[in-house]
Structures are given as C-alpha cells and as structure tokens.
C-alpha cells in the first residue's frame, strides 16, 4: 500500500504535508515525494529511500528547495507494486506538460490497455508506474474536451479499473486539489475555514481537526478557492458521510521507547484491558459484545464457522477456530484469505447456518476483501474482528467487534494479534453462554479472560533475560520453534515475527511432526524454542524435548510458572503465567514478540520498517 496526503489553504503547505508523509510512513517507506503548486509551476521533490537513510534525509532534501511559500501541496509514501523503488517511480507523477501532478494509492488493473492507448496518442511515459498513466489520461481527456479539468478528471477516473485513491493538482489552478476514491481509503477535513486536508488515514489530520469525512468508493471531492464540492463519478452532487477521527497525537509517537514495536508490545496490558472493558463480567450476562448482538439470533443458528485472515491475523484465525471446536463442539476452520478462492471452502455449507469471521488489524488487506466478496456472494454472513474503526473491511461486514487497541504503527503486528485472540475468546464465551456452557463454566471462562491483561507483567519482568537470550543468538541464521495444540499457532506467529523483523529463517514445526523430517536440522547447540506449557500435551512435549536433546539441541523452553520439572529439563527457560492453553498463547506470543524485537535490534535492523514490507497489504 501507499500513503497520500495533501493540504490546500492559507498556511505554508509543504511543512504540513511533510509531517503527514512522516505520519503515514507505516503505509510504505521505499520512496517519499512532495509536490507543491507555485506561481512558477509545480515543484516536485521525490526520492527512493537510500538503504542507510531514514526520513530525516528526505526532510533535508526538501528543505534545500524553495517552494515559494506554496499553500497547496501533496505528498506520498510508496510501497512499490508497478516498477521498482526509484526516484523516477516515486510520486507525484506528472503528465507530458508537467501541469498535472498526482499521488496514487492502489493498483490500476487495465494498466496495459491504457499504456498502449496513451503511447499510440503520442504521450511520453517516463516511469514504470501505473500511476503516471493516470496523469497522462487526464491530460488527454483535457485536450479532448476543450481544457476543462473537472470533466477531464471525471472522464479519466471512469476509465480506470482496479483500486485507487488519488490526489490531483494542476499548475493552472493554484488552489485546486481533487481527491478521488475507489477501493483504497481516503478521508478529508476542513481543518479551518477554507483550508483542507486529504489523506489515506486520519493520522496526518487529527492534529488539526477531529471532524472529517470518509470518502466512499465512487466519490470525488473538488477543492478549489476554499470550497469543497462533493461529487459522484457520474458528476452528480452528493453528500459524503461525516466521521469523527479517533486517536490521539500521543499514539502516533513512540516517546519513551526506541521503536513503535517495543511501545506496542508494552502497551498490551493496557490495550487488552480496553479490548475487554465493559464486555466481560463474572456474573450474568458474562459477556456483552454490542457489535455482534444485533446478529446474535442468526449466529446462534449457525453450526459451521470459518475464521479468515492473512499473516498474523491468520494465526489468530487458527486459534479462533480451535476455541470454537473445543469449547462449542461445532465445525470450525481457519483459512488464509489468499486461499479462499483456491478451494471450494464453502462446499456443502448451508449459507444460513454458516458464518465467516474475517480478521484484520488494518481493515484494508486486499486478499481479505476479495475473500469477503466471494463468501458474501454465496450468501454467507461475514462478521468482522477488526482494529481500524470504519475501515473498508469493517464496513464490508454485517456486524462484528473492534479490537480497541488504537493505532498499530510498527509493521510487525503485536498488540493486534493478542487482542484478536482475546476477542475470539469473548466470542466463544458469547456463543457458549447461549449454547452449551454451564453458569460455572461461564464464570471460570470469564475470569480467565479477565486475568490476561494483568498477567503479562510476568513476561516484562523477564525482558532483560529475553534480551540476553537474543544477544546469544544474534549470529544464528536459523532456528526451530516447536509446539503442539493451540501452541502450533503460537509458534507460527513467533516464526513470522522473527522472520519479518530479524530476517532469521525460523522453522516452526508441530512438535509431534518433528521426528518425521525436521529433526534432520538438529545438530549440537542448534537452538530450538519449545512452547512447553503445563497442559494436556505436556507429556508428549517432554518426549519431544528429550528426542532433540539427545541430538545436542540447545532447548529454550517457554514453561508455565510453577512447573519446575519442565524448567529443569530445558537448557534455558522463560516463564509464562498459568492460563488455560487457548489463553496461554497470548503471553507465549509476547515472549516471541520481545525475542524477535531484540534479535532484530541486536542484528542492526530497523524493526519498525522491515525490508520489503508495509503495514497493510492492499494488493491481492
Ligand atoms: O491488517 P491485517 O491484519 O489484515 O494484515 C494481515 C497481515 O498482512 C499482517 O498480519 C502481517 O502478516 C504482519 N506484518 C505480521 O506482523
């Protein structure tokens, strides 16, 4: 995904937009760009991020340029899709005359046809991006209709297929900014009378305004001469829905912590407290999930459940499906969003007795959007477990529950994962209370959920030890993670964290499967991290530990508090609180988060912006 941001009003626009670009760095950080409309034309500064430089380097490049006090600027964060990261592929992109400049988030699917059309009409295309074609297309439409920029833009956007949000400016219209939305998120606000900001997310805007508007697919906002006109792609006047932007400036900083990832790991006790606040009780009704209750009768009639997500959210989906099977005794299955189209997952399902929980931190993941479309087309209800309020996926679903963990800026998902697991536990309690759980079982289940936020402190007390462990493993290029039962999902999540922030090939394996092949990796001192919790699978895990110790492995055990026998068996232990296994996944995941964080830092990487990644993956 990419980030776009713009300001037009009576203030100097470039510093405001530059700050917005920095705030949206989580959306993409392989290139940055700024374009400002000035009396002398549009001035553009855009660069690929050098490997050894951060945002300050770009700020310094921008500061070298005289933008002639421009009051109208647009900015961009790029995560490359069409064309490698390079200065020329960075945005803003321009037309042949350099009068039209635009920034784009999304992908244009009819890119090839458009390129052939534009080349045949003599346009000179400089970059490899699909975005540049849009600028040329507007130029072409403008020539065809006597220079009217407004109808040129409307004609051009109607020819685009795919997902896109755009912010367009024109050198001959010093106060013009045009925001266009289809598929990729876009909000705008009048930040003070006659001054406007547009952005991919509210984050650049909340410093200036709380009341904004959430531009929907097929909507355009023409801002000129201090007025905003809201139109449809059919050039009809419309009214765009107002929204209140949530979040605080504080949430956008990592003060007191060297990285967002560490801040977000440490926020978990507090944020998970918010996830369950006012929702879980140790007395009747035990659980109240306002976002799900309107569909509760439908939900209770279902006997088949899917949990769908990507990456970390898929790992959470696995846990949701297992909780439903184990506690509700229903058919439940986790599916990766990108695989929904590959298999006939709904084969044999009765649509009115089936529900799909769709899980996403960002609410933007394209694979999940496509999965939802496919599932809904078959008449199956989708319910969201989403963090970003009002996001595309939240709006595509009929109902659902929000994670309430605030903005997650670090690319590696941490607090969102643990909140997803806790939300799934709440959904289990909600259905269990109505289906099969006794009053005493509900009380126990609720008490266990309520205990989770507070008990994470035990992990943070061991942070120094985890850091020391990371230091001792800093030169490892590979390691193995073992777990059974629920903890298979925990080690998949742990391995993903280590891969994405520390670039270590972490091999996650079901402990019981290890002897069928992966054991070949074991040699003296080879590090193996085993989730060795005190649960029904403990005996089998002990057996697996002995098998690898017999071959010289260095075993790091994630062991339950009080399980001294296990702590003695392993070569090094990290202690997690004594919780039932479905919830013990949460503190065990936090151990992996800290270990991956320290490994990444010790290996000298920027853990908040891992190589080749972006916070939300908006390409399918
Ligand atoms: O925003 P989503 O939860 O839909 O994102 C899904 C994955 O892209 C995401 O979890 C990704 O795997 C994270 N970078 C993992 O830390």
């Amino acid at each position: 995904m990419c980030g776009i941001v713009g300001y037009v009003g009576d203030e100097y626009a470039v510093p405001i937009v530059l700050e917005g670009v920095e705030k949206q760095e989580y959306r993409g950080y392989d290139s940055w760009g700024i374009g400002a409309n000035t009396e002398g034309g549009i001035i553009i500064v855009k660069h690929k991020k050098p490997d050894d430089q951060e945002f300050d380097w770009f700020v310094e490049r921008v500061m070298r340029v005289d933008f002639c006090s421009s009051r109208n600027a647009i900015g961009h964060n790029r995560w490359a899709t069409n064309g490698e990261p390079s200065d020329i592929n960075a945005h803003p992109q321009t037309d042949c005359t350099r009068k039209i400049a635009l920034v784009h988030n999304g992908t244009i699917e009819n890119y090839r046809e458009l390129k052939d059309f534009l080349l045949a009409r003599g346009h000179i295309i400089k970059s490899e991006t699909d975005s540049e074609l849009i600028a040329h297309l507007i130029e072409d439409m403008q020539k065809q209709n006597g220079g009217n920029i407004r109808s040129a833009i409307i004609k051009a956007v109607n020819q685009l297929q795919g997902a896109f949000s755009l912010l367009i400016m024109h050198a001959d219209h010093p106060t013009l900014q045009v925001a266009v939305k289809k598929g990729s998120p876009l909000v705008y606000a009048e930040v003070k009378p006659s001054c406007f900001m547009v952005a991919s997310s509210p984050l650049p805007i909340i410093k200036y305004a709380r009341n904004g508007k959430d531009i929907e697919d097929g909507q355009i906002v023409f801002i000129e001469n201090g007025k905003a006109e809201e139109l449809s792609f059919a050039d009809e006047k419309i009214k765009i829905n107002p929204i209140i932007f949530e979040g605080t400036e504080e949430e956008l900083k990592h003060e007191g912590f060297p990285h967002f990832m560490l801040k977000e790991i440490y926020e978990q006790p507090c944020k998970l407290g918010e996830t369950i606040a006012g929702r879980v009780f140790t007395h009747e009704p035990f659980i109240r999930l306002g976002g799900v209750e309107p569909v509760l009768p439908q939900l209770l009639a279902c006997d088949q459940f899917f949990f769908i997500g990507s990456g970390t959210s898929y790992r959470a989906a696995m846990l949701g499906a297992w909780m439903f099977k184990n506690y509700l005794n229903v058919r439940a299955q986790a599916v990766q969003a990108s695989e929904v189209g590959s298999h006939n997952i709904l084969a044999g399902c009765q649509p009115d007795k089936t529900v799909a929980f769709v899980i996403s931190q960002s609410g933007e993941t394209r694979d999940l959007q496509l999965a939802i479309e496919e599932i809904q087309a078959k008449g199956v209800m989708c319910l969201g477990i989403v963090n970003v309020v009002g996001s595309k996926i939240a709006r595509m679903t009929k109902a659902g529950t929000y994670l309430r963990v605030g903005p997650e800026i670090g690319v590696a998902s941490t607090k969102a994962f643990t909140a997803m697991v806790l939300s799934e536990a709440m959904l289990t309690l909600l259905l269990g209370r109505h289906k099969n759980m006794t009053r005493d079982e509900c009380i126990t289940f609720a008490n266990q959920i309520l205990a989770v936020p507070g008990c994470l402190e035990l992990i943070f007390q061991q942070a120094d030890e985890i850091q020391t462990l990371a230091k001792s493993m800093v030169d490892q290029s590979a390691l193995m993670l073992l777990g059974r039962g629920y903890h298979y999902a925990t080690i998949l999540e742990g391995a993903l964290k280590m891969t994405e922030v520390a670039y270590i090939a972490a091999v996650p394996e079901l402990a019981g499967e290890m002897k069928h092949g992966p054991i070949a990796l074991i040699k003296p001192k080879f590090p193996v991290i085993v989730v060795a919790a005190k649960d029904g699978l403990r005996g089998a895990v002990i057996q697996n530990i002995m098998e690898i110790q017999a071959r010289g492995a260095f075993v790091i055990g994630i062991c339950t508090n009080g399980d001294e026998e296990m702590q003695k068996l392993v070569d090094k232990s990290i202690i997690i609180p004594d919780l039932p296994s479905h919830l013990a996944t949460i503190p065990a995941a936090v151990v992996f988060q800290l270990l991956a964080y320290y490994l990444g830092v010790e290996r000298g990487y920027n853990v908040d912006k891992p190589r080749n990644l972006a916070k939300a993956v908006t390409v399918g």
Side-chain angles (χ1 to χ4, degrees):
M1 70 176 174
C2 301
I4 66 180
V5 56
Y7 171 87
V8 55
D10 57 16
E11 307 275 341
Y12 292 153
V14 169
I16 297 173
V17 169
L18 198 54
E19 191 183 48
V21 173
E22 186 176 21
K23 284 182 176 157
Q24 292 196 138
E25 268 213 288
Y26 73 97
R27 300 186 65 86
Y29 41 81
D30 60 40
S31 323
W32 310 283
I34 294 260
N37 208 343
T38 71
E39 280 180 10
I42 293 175
I43 298 175
I44 290 174
V45 181
K46 55 179 191 159
H47 289 286
K48 168 188 187 300
K49 175 187 176 304
D51 284 346
D52 56 348
Q53 298 293 342
E54 294 299 334
F55 191 69
D56 287 349
W57 177 89
F58 178 63
V59 174
E60 200 267 320
R61 290 291 184 287
V62 172
M63 291 306 171
R64 289 181 192 175
V65 177
D66 180 4
F67 289 97
C68 313
S69 315
S70 170
R71 266 56 174 182
N72 182 2
I74 56 178
H76 192 258
N77 308 73
R78 182 160 189 253
W79 184 77
T81 47
N82 284 41
E84 59 170 12
S86 68
D87 289 358
I88 202 143
N89 288 339
H91 299 207
Q93 291 290 331
T94 53
D95 68 325
C96 297
T97 64
R98 277 186 69 91
K99 287 201 166 194
I100 299 165
L102 59 82
V103 286
H104 169 214
N105 171 30
T107 43
I108 303 302
E109 284 161 13
N110 53 337
Y111 159 83
R112 292 196 184 285
E113 298 90 297
L114 283 178
K115 189 165 183 177
D116 292 346
F117 167 79
L118 291 163
L119 287 172
R121 291 182 60 83
H123 288 265
I124 309 292
I125 295 169
K126 304 165 290 287
S127 75
E128 300 160 289
T129 65
D130 50 356
S131 317
E132 185 190 346
L133 304 180
I134 308 171
H136 292 280
L137 190 62
I138 297 170
E139 178 196 4
D140 210 86
M141 296 297 117
Q142 204 184 357
K143 272 192 205 142
Q144 285 182 36
N145 63 45
N148 184 321
I149 183 68
R150 175 180 159 140
S151 55
I153 290 174
I154 291 177
K155 282 211 170 88
V157 298
N158 276 294
Q159 292 181 50
L160 302 177
Q161 288 165 16
F164 50 90
S165 60
L166 303 168
L167 205 43
I168 306 161
M169 52 169 51
H170 194 293
D172 294 343
H173 297 260
T175 65
L176 177 76
Q177 260 190 35
V178 185
V180 180
K181 145 105 199 244
K182 188 181 158 214
S184 304
L186 201 60
V187 293
Y188 90 100
E190 186 165 13
V191 290
K192 67 177 203 187
S194 305
C195 303
F196 293 87
M197 281 189 82
V198 184
S200 299
S201 73
L203 301 186
I205 307 181
I206 55 174
K207 178 174 171 187
Y208 306 97
R210 285 284 158 183
N211 295 307
K213 294 208 176 174
D214 196 6
I215 309 175
E216 300 258 4
D217 287 353
Q219 298 182 334
I220 306 179
V221 185
F222 277 88
I223 303 167
E224 194 163 21
N225 299 326
K227 289 199 177 68
E229 194 182 1
E230 299 171 345
L231 296 173
S232 70
F233 277 20
D235 200 5
E236 292 155 348
K237 282 197 189 309
I238 51 159
K239 274 207 179 317
I240 298 182
N241 288 336
I243 49 162
I244 309 273
F245 297 142
E246 295 194 351
T248 62
E249 273 284 288
E250 277 315 293
E251 287 174 324
L252 306 181
K253 297 180 188 143
H254 54 76
E255 262 159 33
F257 292 92
H259 297 97
F260 279 110
M261 182 176 174
L262 194 63
K263 175 188 177 218
E264 288 161 4
I265 291 172
Y266 272 88
E267 272 177 352
Q268 288 175 103
C270 165
K271 294 296 179 188
L272 294 185
E274 286 173 28
T275 304
I276 58 179
R279 290 170 159 180
V280 182
F281 315 94
T282 52
H283 50 78
E284 297 277 1
F286 302 114
I287 176 84
R288 190 176 287 137
L289 290 176
V292 177
E293 260 145 48
V295 295
L296 193 55
Q298 257 172 290
L299 198 51
L300 290 171
C302 291
D303 60 7
Q304 179 141 21
F305 300 86
F306 290 93
F307 289 78
I308 300 172
S310 301
T312 287
S313 302
Y314 168 68
R315 277 104 178 122
M318 295 169 81
L319 292 168
W322 292 335
M323 284 183 221
F324 268 41
K325 281 186 191 200
N326 293 334
Y327 286 97
L328 305 176
N329 201 21
V330 291
R331 286 175 295 166
Q333 185 189 339
V335 186
Q336 288 100 335
S338 59
E339 282 294 288
V340 166
S342 315
H343 304 290
N344 189 8
I345 64 160
L346 298 174
C349 291
Q350 274 182 266
D352 55 340
K353 293 190 132 203
T354 307
V355 66
F357 289 102
V358 293
I359 307 172
S360 176
Q361 187 287 129
S362 62
E364 287 186 45
T365 302
R366 182 84 183 134
D367 285 333
L368 192 57
Q369 291 186 29
L370 295 172
I372 295 169
E373 281 166 13
E374 182 155 345
I375 292 166
Q376 287 177 335
K378 295 193 173 138
V380 169
M381 176 169 75
C382 288
L383 300 182
I385 302 176
V386 174
N387 191 35
V388 177
V389 176
S391 56
K392 173 84 180 174
I393 288 168
R395 281 185 285 155
M396 287 174 87
T397 53
K398 188 163 181 185
T401 182
Y402 281 119
L403 302 179
R404 297 184 178 165
V405 294
E408 191 180 67
I409 310 274
V411 166
S413 190
T414 52
K415 60 181 178 175
F417 173 75
T418 50
M420 286 167 187
V421 180
L422 214 48
S423 301
E424 290 163 342
M426 289 193 291
L427 285 163
T428 308
L429 178 57
L430 179 69
L431 268 70
R433 173 191 166 236
H434 288 279
K435 276 177 177 271
N436 58 334
M437 285 185 188
T438 64
R439 195 184 133 74
D440 283 352
E441 283 167 343
C442 288
I443 293 173
T444 306
F445 205 93
N447 270 314
Q448 290 164 344
I449 292 175
L450 290 166
V452 171
C455 73
L456 294 184
E457 186 50 36
L458 179 62
I459 311 300
F460 299 134
Q461 285 165 6
Q462 300 167 86
D464 288 348
E465 266 183 75
I466 297 173
Q467 184 170 16
T468 307
L469 183 62
K471 281 188 176 144
S472 72
M473 298 198 306
V474 76
D475 294 324
Q476 291 292 335
S477 55
L479 50 83
M480 192 185 282
L481 275 51
L482 296 180
R484 299 184 86 114
Y486 284 105
H487 291 300
Y488 182 49
T490 315
I491 58 161
L492 285 180
E493 174 55 9
L496 180 59
K497 290 287 92 80
M498 289 183 191
T499 308
E500 72 182 325
V501 305
Y503 314 149
I504 289 182
V507 181
E509 195 51 74
L510 272 169
E513 283 293 301
M514 192 230 351
K515 56 187 174 295
H516 298 290
I519 199 166
L521 277 178
I522 306 293
K523 57 184 182 182
K525 301 209 169 16
F526 185 78
V528 182
I529 308 177
V530 187
V531 184
K534 196 168 153 199
D535 56 24
L537 302 169
R538 181 176 177 277
V541 171
I542 288 180
Q543 179 62 36
N544 300 137
I545 290 174
M546 288 164 63
E547 286 158 7
I548 52 174
Q549 279 182 329
R551 288 157 180 88
F554 181 79
V555 178
I556 301 139
I558 298 182
C559 309
T560 305
N561 200 6
D563 188 354
E564 265 137 44
E565 186 193 350
M566 187 69 91
Q567 289 163 37
K568 278 196 197 120
L569 176 68
V570 297
D571 301 299
K572 162 86 196 143
S573 60
I574 304 289
I575 311 300
I576 56 170
D578 193 357
L579 289 168
S581 343
H582 65 289
L583 294 176
T585 53
I586 293 177
V590 177
V591 172
F592 283 117
Q593 292 168 2
L594 278 174
L595 190 57
Y597 172 80
Y598 287 123
L599 274 169
V601 169
E602 294 296 335
R603 285 160 72 93
Y605 302 127
N606 182 345
V607 293
D608 278 343
K609 293 180 200 159
R611 190 165 65 204
N612 303 333
L613 292 176
K615 184 65 185 160
V617 182
T618 52
V619 286

